[in-house]
Amino acid sequence: MKKNIAIIMGGYSNEAPVSLKSAAVVAKNLNQDKYVPYPVRIDRDKWVYVDTQNNEHPIDKNDFSVTVNGRKITFDAVFNAIHGTPGEDGYLQAYFNLIGLPLTGCSMYASALTFNKRDMLSVLKPFGILSAPSYYLNKGEDYNTADIVAKVGLPCFVKANKSGSSFGVYKVYEEAQLPMYIDKAFEVDDEILIETFLKGTEISIGVINYRGKIKVLPMTEIVSENDFFDYDAKYNGKSQEITPARLSAEMTAKINALAERVYRLLKMEGFSRSEFIIVGDTPYLLEMNTTPGLSEASLLPQQAKVAGISLEELFESEIERVLNH
């Protein structure tokens, strides 16, 4: 008997349009012999199943069921295609855990921790995982730009702490620009981190559970046409994404081992994609995404393809993992 799979999409952040693209790719590539996909849009003001005619049917939040033409439909599992809040920061993980419905991806705690760049990097630091020198700032705190520059140097990055798709990320060249970009980042989040600009090779690497084992995917080298790998570079083709990356065998092995170690240290499950900058022979971790983009333009599907894994196989493996958890 076919399993009913809700594909949750949308969310409450600026990343909602990317999420809708990811969800469409998931729905299109599910094994139709095994699964019946139900796209579910999650917005602040409504949770609705969107049928093939674009009619909206309200979700009953008590058990995440939906009634269509008088028939109650329940789901066997939920495929998480929401980037940003509430799908990538622990909220929906907690909700589905409480109602006992299997959800793809990692646990509530791993999701919340990795979405908070500052906290994740702090947790990993004692294990010898290197990251850029940084300065933390909470909204409303007084700060001195000279102190910031003394710690991180120039140029530097001002980043919204809990955000994805490079929203709220700014490259700053002069101390006088800092207050403006700090204010801009605070429009996205109430916590920011200001990091040293590391000049090197940017790498993105997927680590996933695949058919019961942790698998490191071929990594992607990112060469941005823009000043850095911003939203435009990520989604509007303003970057060159080279998979597999043009690295030596030794460096490839080093990054593969490091990415898997980070995945294990954080007790990750499901899909992940981590970003590193390699300076000389030293890799620095930037961040980890636990609901990475799954659209055709996204990196994880590119990496899976190079590894010989089709999208159908990728998604089926993850659904079966949570169904049999």
Side-chain angles (χ1 to χ4, degrees):
M1 193 170 157
K2 292 184 183 181
K3 303 283 190 186
N4 290 342
I5 308 297
I7 303 168
I8 54 173
M9 60 187 183
Y12 307 161
S13 77
N14 295 332
E15 296 185 84
V18 181
S19 168
L20 298 182
K21 289 180 181 176
S22 290
V25 170
V26 174
K28 190 172 86 175
N29 288 281
L30 282 194
N31 183 334
Q32 303 296 325
D33 295 330
K34 290 187 175 183
Y35 311 116
V36 183
Y38 288 85
V40 174
R41 178 81 189 245
I42 291 190
D43 293 326
R44 284 192 188 277
D45 57 343
K46 62 183 179 184
W47 291 18
V48 290
Y49 156 55
V50 184
D51 68 21
T52 50
Q53 274 75 49
N54 272 336
N55 298 313
E56 296 183 347
H57 307 269
I59 292 287
D60 181 347
K61 293 182 186 176
N62 290 302
D63 60 359
F64 203 74
S65 64
V66 63
T67 300
V68 181
N69 299 327
R71 183 171 72 94
K72 180 175 177 174
I73 299 167
T74 57
F75 301 108
D76 297 289
V78 179
F79 195 107
N80 184 8
I82 293 178
H83 314 305
T85 191
E88 201 169 4
D89 55 1
Y91 286 102
L92 284 176
Q93 285 77 8
Y95 164 75
F96 285 113
N97 184 258
L98 285 170
I99 65 169
L101 195 51
L103 174 71
T104 60
C106 61
S107 70
M108 180 272 291
Y109 179 69
S111 179
L113 177 64
T114 50
F115 195 66
N116 188 311
K117 299 181 187 78
R118 181 180 74 182
D119 290 359
M120 182 195 74
L121 295 172
S122 299
V123 163
L124 290 170
K125 195 173 183 179
F127 294 98
I129 308 297
L130 300 177
S131 56
S134 57
Y135 189 100
Y136 301 148
L137 205 53
N138 294 322
K139 200 167 192 172
E141 278 183 353
D142 291 331
Y143 63 87
N144 182 308
T145 55
D147 292 344
I148 295 171
V149 171
K151 184 161 188 189
V152 302
L154 288 169
C156 64
F157 279 107
V158 175
K159 297 181 177 181
N161 186 36
K162 301 184 294 293
S163 178
S165 292
S166 297
F167 285 112
V169 177
Y170 305 98
K171 192 173 181 182
V172 181
Y173 288 89
E174 298 170 19
E175 184 180 334
Q177 296 176 314
L178 271 169
M180 176 179 74
Y181 286 116
I182 286 170
D183 288 346
K184 277 178 171 284
F186 275 136
E187 289 172 13
V188 178
D189 190 23
D190 59 0
E191 300 171 350
I192 64 172
L193 65 163
I194 304 167
E195 291 181 334
T196 299
F197 166 64
L198 298 174
K199 187 170 177 58
T201 303
E202 184 161 357
I203 293 295
S204 182
I205 182 165
V207 184
I208 62 174
N209 279 108
Y210 186 67
R211 295 180 175 171
K213 294 180 180 173
I214 294 175
K215 184 173 181 64
V216 181
L217 296 175
M219 67 188 86
T220 302
E221 178 183 346
I222 296 157
V223 184
S224 178
E225 291 175 24
N226 295 355
D227 204 13
F228 65 98
F229 195 44
D230 59 6
Y231 184 91
D232 195 36
K234 282 181 179 172
Y235 299 109
N236 297 327
K238 295 294 178 71
S239 66
Q240 202 182 348
E241 295 162 358
I242 303 160
T243 311
R246 300 169 298 182
L247 298 176
S248 68
E250 292 81 4
M251 182 55 74
T252 299
K254 186 176 185 176
I255 303 274
N256 285 349
L258 180 59
E260 181 174 340
R261 183 161 180 251
V262 168
Y263 188 95
R264 290 181 183 277
L265 284 171
L266 295 172
K267 297 184 169 64
M268 272 299 301
E269 298 169 286
F271 301 159
S272 77
R273 202 191 71 235
S274 296
E275 321 295 334
F276 292 89
I277 293 270
I278 305 167
V279 182
D281 290 330
T282 306
Y284 294 83
L285 177 64
L286 297 179
E287 63 179 35
M288 177 188 278
N289 299 284
T290 58
T291 313
L294 298 172
S295 70
E296 278 90 346
S298 300
L299 296 174
L300 194 82
Q302 292 180 37
Q303 295 172 2
K305 187 177 180 182
V306 172
I309 301 169
S310 70
L311 290 179
E312 182 180 301
E313 291 168 330
L314 185 71
F315 301 152
E316 183 174 324
S317 167
E318 180 60 5
I319 290 168
E320 292 302 317
R321 182 185 72 82
V322 300
L323 283 172
N324 299 310
H325 203 39

